[in-house]
Amino acid sequence: EKEAYLTAVTLDPNEPMGLFNLALILEEEGDVKGAISRMERAHHLAPTPETRLQLENLHTKAARLRTFQ
């Protein structure tokens, strides 16, 4: 699944749903920084309440992770 989204985003870097889904997968894998990058791009291309909420959650998660390091 991740490979499919990586391919989709490589073929069309302006596809917000591909970026959104890739961000969710990266978050699940623990790559919060990569997830934030993709989600920010998805939100920039197609701002929705869902992308905004996911982005806020990712930033909160990143801040928590920095606190414990």
Side-chain angles (χ1 to χ4, degrees):
E1 188 174 33
K2 177 183 175 182
E3 295 303 320
Y5 287 117
L6 284 170
T7 300
V9 170
T10 300
L11 293 173
D12 185 358
N14 295 318
E15 169 47 47
M17 283 307 297
L19 290 162
F20 179 87
N21 289 317
L22 180 57
L24 295 179
I25 291 169
L26 292 173
E27 179 189 12
E28 286 178 13
E29 293 179 345
D31 183 2
V32 177
K33 185 176 179 180
I36 289 172
S37 174
R38 276 32 172 243
M39 193 63 71
E40 284 178 342
R41 180 82 178 135
H43 186 67
H44 173 76
L45 292 167
T48 66
E50 181 68 17
T51 57
R52 183 179 47 80
L53 177 62
Q54 290 295 331
L55 199 49
E56 289 172 4
N57 290 340
L58 286 166
H59 280 291
T60 299
K61 188 173 192 174
R64 282 191 209 136
L65 290 172
R66 282 192 300 271
T67 300
F68 292 113
Q69 291 180 349

